[in-house]
DNA sequence: TTGATAGGCAAGTGACAACTTGCCTATCGT
DNA sequence: ACGATAGGCAAGTTGTCACTTGCCTATCAA
């Protein structure tokens, strides 16, 4: 459902998480936590980030894979494509008549 | 600010308004109200729709022009383009190595 | 000028979402 | 086995957002 995608993108912290995953795929929860703290001065608890990741995963924007006690997260940009084409009408060099 | 764009797109009613403006540009507040009621069974007050339009206008997704006692609203898809390219990395035929 | 129409401003309410706190489970190293 | 590390679950709180209600301004028609 694209509803979940829009709701997931509504939060600035979640968008920053997507930025970080776009920069480097396959990060664990703790890696994302420290990156948010270091690079973005976002001092969130581990649970807060975990909940954000759950929202992103429900939206399909993040895919996770478990390996042992680690859980790695990957970015999935596929749900983004449909949300733009929703209002972008076929391009005409001039505006519509 | 793209922050406003994401917040504007977070609400399903606002997305429906964008749908209606994509279908027909230059609608007044009352036209949008009745369209939401007729086509989408969204029985909102005039003020509710007006507030939604204000949010969309702040985000730059809707541009309005006043003529007499009427205020016409037009869709502007330009702010949408940047929000996609934010995470869409350069395309490779296969997945990243 | 009066009434009707199109829209605006501001305070109040209810619901949801972000975040925290506290506790619990699972995997790895020694 | 034991401690440490990586993560999960659930309840509570606070703030924000969507929506309503009530009143006010501006334009047009008669």
């Amino acid at each position: 459902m694209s509803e979940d995608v829009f709701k997931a993108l509504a939060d600035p912290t979640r968008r920053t998480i997507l930025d970080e995953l776009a920069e480097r795929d396959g990060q664990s929860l703790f890696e994302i936590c420290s990156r948010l703290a270091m690079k973005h001065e976002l001092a969130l608890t581990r649970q807060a980030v975990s909940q954000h990741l759950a929202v992103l995963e429900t939206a399909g924007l993040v895919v996770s894979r478990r390996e042992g006690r680690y859980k790695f997260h990957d970015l999935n940009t596929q749900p983004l494509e449909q949300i733009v084409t929703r209002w972008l009408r076929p391009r005409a060099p001039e505006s519509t008549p």
Side-chain angles (χ1 to χ4, degrees), chain A:
Chain A
M1 190 68 78
S2 70
E3 164 77 26
D4 299 320
V5 179
F6 288 108
K7 276 171 57 180
L9 293 176
D11 187 82
T13 303
R14 282 195 288 269
R15 294 197 297 272
T16 306
I17 293 177
L18 293 183
D19 289 337
E20 286 305 315
L21 289 180
E23 192 176 318
R24 195 220 282 183
D25 250 343
Q27 296 188 58
S28 73
L29 174 58
F30 272 72
E31 281 182 281
I32 298 173
C33 279
S34 42
R35 284 226 172 184
L36 290 178
M38 300 295 179
K39 298 178 55 180
H40 304 277
E41 280 107 22
L42 287 174
L44 299 174
T45 59
R46 174 180 55 85
Q47 287 83 351
V49 180
S50 178
Q51 285 167 7
H52 280 310
L53 285 171
V55 173
L56 290 169
E57 221 170 327
T58 303
L61 290 167
V62 163
V63 182
S64 67
R65 49 196 160 89
R66 184 123 206 189
E67 290 181 18
R69 56 176 163 174
Y70 297 97
K71 190 181 178 189
F72 300 113
H73 302 82
D74 297 296
L75 178 65
N76 180 28
T77 58
Q78 189 262 330
L80 289 177
E81 303 174 16
Q82 46 179 343
I83 80 168
V84 202
T85 56
R86 175 168 175 177
W87 298 290
L88 293 186
R89 286 163 293 184
R91 291 285 186 174
E94 286 80 25
S95 58
T96 51

